[in-house]
Amino acid sequence: MSSTESERIIKIAVPQEFSFRECLAFLKRSPLEILHHIDENNVYKVIAVNDELILMKISYQDQELIIEFPDQVPSNKRTIVEFVENWFDLNQDLSLFYRTVSNDSLLNPLVEQYYGLRMIGIPDLFEALTWAIMGQQITLTFAYTLKKRIVTSFGEQLLIQDKQYWTYPSPEIIADLQIEDLRKLQFTTRKAEYVIGVAREIVEGRLSKDILRHAENPAQKLISLRGIGPWTADYVLMKCLLKTDAFPVADVGLQNAVMKQLQCKQKPTINELRILAKNWSGWEAYATFYLWRSLYE
């Protein structure tokens, strides 16, 4: 490989418990997704690095993720590596989760079926929070519709060979909006207020991933914000901070998945879920994620 070619490629060794196929299955779950594109076994995604829009092409071979740059080579490759590690939760020791649930009759069959599936994270806190807010009390399909509208209205676009690649809007852009700007996209007044409010919390320095990491009770810190309840807080801790013990116990998808796996006629109560989850202690987020995966069959 020439030096020029080597500059355009980053290789990241992945843990033994890693399945690119399973991660792709989750990433492909909605045809309305706009922030990444999958072509055969390649994932294309744009991220902003030092004010540059960088297109990544991610593939897998021989226990390594191969990251190529079809357009511009980033000046800061460490940022790229950190993003990919967080996106696929590569620093997590999944063998601990597998041991924890090895005798659990609900989870162990899912572990065998989806072995190597990693938490697909949302590394950007603003995206994680606002995506969760968008998804409150509406169908997943309409949540994706709202996401597509906010991205195409306020995100940045990279056009390469007539194909559009989008980044999520920055909190700085959204913080300057008025409620009506989002109402035009079919956001409710309250959701528009919550999204703009979160943007302003981040822009004004009162909220960040570091602040949450160092908070004595990060869930409570999130719940103190308008529009953030326990479900949203746990979802963000699970998907953005990659906390394995975050447990969105009131999640409808989780309830549906447990009902499906146990072949029950009605959804489990929150108390019943907490009893089941005693076998998953410390790994509630991964248990939830594997149960979610069981719905995409």
Side-chain angles (χ1 to χ4, degrees):
M1 183 184 296
S2 70
S3 58
T4 304
E5 288 176 317
S6 64
E7 287 172 2
R8 302 189 73 89
I9 295 177
I10 298 174
K11 295 184 178 182
I12 302 177
V14 299
Q16 180 182 344
E17 302 86 2
F18 178 84
S19 169
F20 193 56
R21 177 179 57 82
E22 278 301 327
C23 292
L24 284 184
F26 185 82
L27 288 170
K28 288 192 288 191
R29 71 194 185 282
S30 174
L32 295 174
E33 178 60 63
I34 193 171
L35 291 177
H36 60 262
H37 167 67
I38 297 174
D39 180 12
E40 295 183 348
N41 291 320
N42 304 304
V43 184
Y44 293 83
K45 184 172 180 64
V46 168
I47 63 170
V49 180
N50 298 338
D51 297 323
E52 303 171 314
L53 292 186
I54 302 297
L55 174 63
M56 303 181 292
K57 174 188 174 185
I58 305 174
S59 57
Y60 172 81
Q61 186 176 359
D62 300 330
Q63 285 297 113
E64 290 182 321
L65 287 178
I66 314 297
I67 308 168
E68 301 171 74
F69 305 102
D71 180 43
Q72 183 175 351
V73 178
S75 55
N76 185 343
K77 292 184 179 178
R78 183 62 218 163
T79 300
I80 297 287
V81 171
E82 288 175 355
F83 179 89
V84 172
E85 288 176 342
N86 283 315
W87 196 21
F88 292 98
D89 198 20
L90 295 180
N91 295 320
Q92 194 64 251
D93 185 354
L94 267 197
S95 68
L96 300 177
F97 168 54
Y98 292 160
R99 282 205 294 273
T100 298
V101 301
S102 60
N103 294 319
D104 185 89
S105 59
L106 177 61
L107 263 295
N108 195 48
L110 300 184
V111 165
E112 292 181 6
Q113 190 170 357
Y114 309 127
Y115 187 89
L117 172 65
R118 300 239 147 202
M119 180 72 65
I120 305 300
I122 305 176
D124 179 69
L125 177 61
F126 180 62
E127 180 187 340
L129 273 165
T130 51
W131 169 238
I133 289 169
M134 281 183 256
Q136 292 170 357
Q137 297 179 326
I138 61 173
T139 66
L140 190 59
T141 297
F142 190 54
Y144 272 108
T145 299
L146 290 180
K147 176 179 169 181
K148 187 172 184 177
R149 288 173 182 168
I150 197 172
V151 167
T152 56
S153 297
F154 303 109
E156 290 190 271
Q157 178 195 149
L158 192 62
L159 188 64
I160 299 175
Q161 296 180 345
D162 295 327
K163 187 157 188 66
Q164 295 175 318
Y165 301 92
W166 291 91
T167 63
Y168 200 76
S170 70
E172 289 78 9
I173 294 291
I174 304 301
D176 282 339
L177 297 182
Q178 301 302 313
I179 302 300
E180 190 54 34
D181 294 319
L182 294 181
R183 290 281 293 129
K184 292 174 184 174
L185 308 181
Q186 283 192 289
F187 280 70
T188 64
T189 298
R190 284 197 173 181
K191 282 191 181 181
E193 290 172 349
Y194 299 158
V195 166
I196 293 171
V198 163
R200 290 174 180 167
E201 289 290 318
I202 292 173
V203 169
E204 293 166 14
R206 293 187 294 272
L207 182 64
S208 69
K209 286 174 79 169
D210 276 344
I211 287 172
L212 289 176
R213 286 191 185 106
H214 292 99
E216 186 174 342
N217 188 334
Q220 198 55 50
K221 170 70 176 173
L222 288 170
I223 291 169
S224 70
L225 302 172
R226 282 193 71 220
I228 308 296
W231 175 86
T232 304
D234 279 314
Y235 181 87
V236 170
L237 294 177
M238 167 184 175
K239 295 279 281 181
C240 186
L241 271 69
L242 302 174
K243 288 182 66 66
T244 61
D245 60 350
F247 190 26
V249 68
D251 184 79
V252 174
L254 170 65
Q255 295 165 4
N256 286 336
V258 170
M259 182 173 66
K260 175 185 173 184
Q261 293 303 311
L262 296 180
Q263 299 181 332
C264 299
K265 292 184 179 180
Q266 59 188 26
K267 295 177 185 177
T269 65
I270 286 178
N271 189 52
E272 287 170 337
L273 283 173
R274 292 195 189 282
I275 292 170
L276 285 172
K278 288 180 179 179
N279 289 339
W280 321 328
S281 182
W283 292 95
E284 292 88 346
Y286 259 91
T288 299
F289 195 63
Y290 271 61
L291 283 158
W292 283 347
R293 170 67 181 89
S294 70
L295 295 173
Y296 297 103
E297 289 298 330

